[in-house]
Amino acid sequence: MSQDIIFAQSADLESILISEEELTAICDRIAREINEHYRPLVEAGEPLLVVGVLKGSVVFLADILRRINVPLQIEFLRASSYGRSSTSSGVVAIKHAPAPELIAASHVLVVEDILDTGNTLYKVFSVLREQGAKSVKLCTLLDKPSRRQADISADFVGREIPDAFVVGYGLDYADYYRNLPYIGILKPEIYSK
Ligand code: XMP
Ligand code: MG
């Protein structure tokens, strides 16, 4: 049954961009970088709060969390932008966020699926800074630097990708394809229908 579903969805892909093996290697490396960066802080008694951006980050987040070996808390936030569904419009609303007191008491590591125009994360970072987070860093699985509009960059990056619309491993089109175990480029005729 599940193989049939994956087969049906993979027919909508132009090609596979990042294989399961490469995703595993990316998670190993990113978690190592995060451990190295935060271990001294946490050992000095500073609290680490990992904030996943719903929904796209959940698969990546689950994979890196199990490789991070410093004590931490986990929260989620939801941001949405209005406009065409394969690009973001720049008008970003934060729909659900951790308690401001928790943010103010923590070093915050935001985990996102993809940094595209940067408008979503720019808004998220302004809110976290306004609320007084002790520090704010960004970990993104994918980075499309060619499309950046907002002044934001990631501290931990899985991989830079070209300007193509990608799905799988948490990333969606119309909320589908998140369960593909790899990342693929969606055929343009699917999202321009
Ligand atoms: P911005 O442009 O604000 O966008 O950096 C970030 C959000 O836009 C979505 N996005 C994508 N989703 N494949 C997707 O499945 C893509 O290629 C893609 N590019 C942008 C995504 O939700 C991300 O959080
Ligand atoms: Mg997203």
Side-chain angles (χ1 to χ4, degrees):
M1 172 70 176
S2 63
Q3 278 307 108
D4 289 348
I5 290 170
I6 287 176
F7 178 77
Q9 293 193 101
S10 62
D12 295 341
L13 301 181
E14 211 163 70
S15 60
I16 292 180
L17 182 67
I18 311 183
S19 67
E20 289 186 68
E21 292 72 25
E22 191 182 342
L23 287 165
T24 301
I26 287 172
C27 289
D28 287 345
R29 174 182 53 80
I30 291 262
R32 206 161 46 237
E33 291 173 9
I34 291 173
N35 286 329
E36 278 165 16
H37 177 79
Y38 285 104
R39 191 172 302 117
L41 271 176
V42 172
E43 281 176 358
E46 295 287 322
L48 171 60
L49 177 68
V50 174
V51 177
V53 181
L54 291 172
K55 304 173 200 175
S57 72
V58 294
V59 180
F60 175 51
L61 180 62
D63 278 349
I64 59 170
L65 273 178
R66 286 170 291 170
R67 292 163 164 89
I68 298 177
N69 55 22
V70 298
L72 53 82
Q73 291 174 294
I74 303 164
E75 287 285 342
F76 291 95
L77 70 74
R78 181 139 204 198
S80 62
S81 62
Y82 303 96
R84 278 174 41 220
S85 47
S86 65
T87 57
S88 80
S89 63
V91 184
V92 177
I94 309 282
K95 292 282 180 65
H96 165 88
E101 310 77 57
L102 181 60
I103 288 169
S106 308
H107 291 272
V108 178
L109 174 63
V110 176
V111 178
E112 174 63 301
D113 52 358
I114 183 165
L115 184 55
D116 187 22
T117 63
N119 293 323
T120 306
L121 269 308
Y122 187 86
K123 172 75 179 185
V124 168
F125 267 51
S126 342
V127 170
L128 295 171
R129 290 205 171 108
E130 264 165 41
Q131 292 179 335
K134 292 181 151 196
S135 67
V136 189
K137 294 219 174 270
L138 173 61
C139 170
T140 186
L141 171 62
L142 305 176
D143 189 3
K144 274 189 203 171
S146 59
R147 286 183 30 95
R148 198 77 82 252
Q149 291 170 7
D151 179 19
I152 185 158
S153 60
D155 303 281
F156 307 96
V157 179
R159 211 182 105 170
E160 283 191 10
I161 62 164
D163 182 13
F165 195 80
V166 294
V167 295
Y169 195 69
L171 290 107
D172 73 304
Y173 174 67
D175 252 333
Y176 281 94
Y177 307 100
R178 296 191 198 273
N179 56 330
L180 289 175
Y182 42 75
I183 291 176
I185 298 179
L186 195 61
K187 287 180 179 163
E189 61 259 37
I190 304 290
Y191 55 84
S192 51
K193 262 192 250 188

